[in-house]
Amino acid sequence: MSTIPISVEGFELVKRDLERLKKERPEVIQAIKEAREEGDLSENAGYDAARERQGMLEARISNIESRMPRFNVIDMRNLGGERVTYGATVELEDLDTGEMRVYTLVGPDETDYVKGSISVLSPVAKAVLGKEEGDEVVVDAPRGKIHYEIVSINFNGPVITLD
């Protein structure tokens, strides 16, 4: 995938996270300096922990910075239509059990399964993308094939709220 879909609100949260991580750098550098001053580095757990924290921090910063140019920022307030696309809230009926599920399709950086937001890269999303109400789809899941019918498609706007 060359571009990564993300809502305006999701992009803002990623930017805030990057800024917060960058502000942590001096604190981590100071912790390394203090641990280094304690003496023998070969048996210095504080030094090892600070270096590990620095590595994780830099990896996270690098990951975000490498992804940001690929973000396709989408205003979810302007979405609509008859077919399932990014930003759609889809109600599905499991044709075997009758169980109803509701998912909102979002980018991989803004998913929250507990709140019903799933990535457009997930098996369920891939199965329903481009489909219309009444269409039947099959999802390959760990428990086997699940047969769903698309009951409704709505575009409710952003799923993320900014503080």
Side-chain angles (χ1 to χ4, degrees):
M1 180 180 235
S2 61
T3 63
I4 303 166
I6 191 167
S7 68
V8 171
E9 295 78 9
F11 184 71
E12 182 61 32
L13 288 179
V14 170
K15 283 185 357 187
R16 288 180 187 179
D17 190 33
L18 180 60
E19 290 169 10
R20 180 189 58 78
L21 292 169
K22 286 182 175 182
K23 287 180 182 177
E24 281 185 41
R25 278 177 166 158
E27 179 184 317
V28 172
I29 291 169
Q30 182 62 32
I32 291 171
K33 180 182 175 192
E34 290 172 5
R36 189 178 285 145
E37 291 171 355
E38 292 176 9
D40 185 8
L41 298 180
S42 64
E43 295 182 21
N44 188 330
Y47 177 77
D48 291 341
R51 290 290 300 189
E52 184 175 335
R53 182 174 168 208
Q54 181 186 37
M56 291 172 56
L57 178 71
E58 293 302 328
R60 180 78 177 121
I61 289 170
S62 177
N63 178 270
I64 293 171
E65 287 179 337
S66 70
R67 294 170 63 81
M68 287 187 86
R70 295 178 38 215
F71 284 145
N72 177 17
V73 181
I74 300 168
D75 187 345
M76 292 178 72
R77 287 175 278 283
N78 297 330
L79 299 177
E82 301 293 318
R83 294 186 176 274
V84 178
T85 64
Y86 169 89
T89 299
V90 182
E91 183 177 14
L92 303 172
E93 179 181 0
D94 184 320
L95 295 176
D96 295 326
T97 67
E99 185 178 345
M100 302 299 282
R101 299 208 182 251
V102 177
Y103 299 115
T104 300
L105 279 56
V106 296
D109 293 276
E110 51 193 340
T111 60
D112 186 344
Y113 185 77
V114 173
K115 293 181 179 178
S117 300
I118 62 171
S119 170
V120 293
L121 303 176
S122 71
V124 171
K126 286 181 178 180
V128 299
L129 280 170
K131 303 292 191 230
E132 297 178 335
E133 286 182 14
D135 286 351
E136 292 183 15
V137 297
V138 178
V139 177
D140 287 321
R143 68 177 177 150
K145 294 189 183 301
I146 305 172
H147 299 268
Y148 287 115
E149 179 181 340
I150 299 173
V151 176
S152 68
I153 303 167
N154 295 294
F155 291 87
N156 301 326
V159 294
I160 294 174
T161 55
L162 300 173
D163 301 326

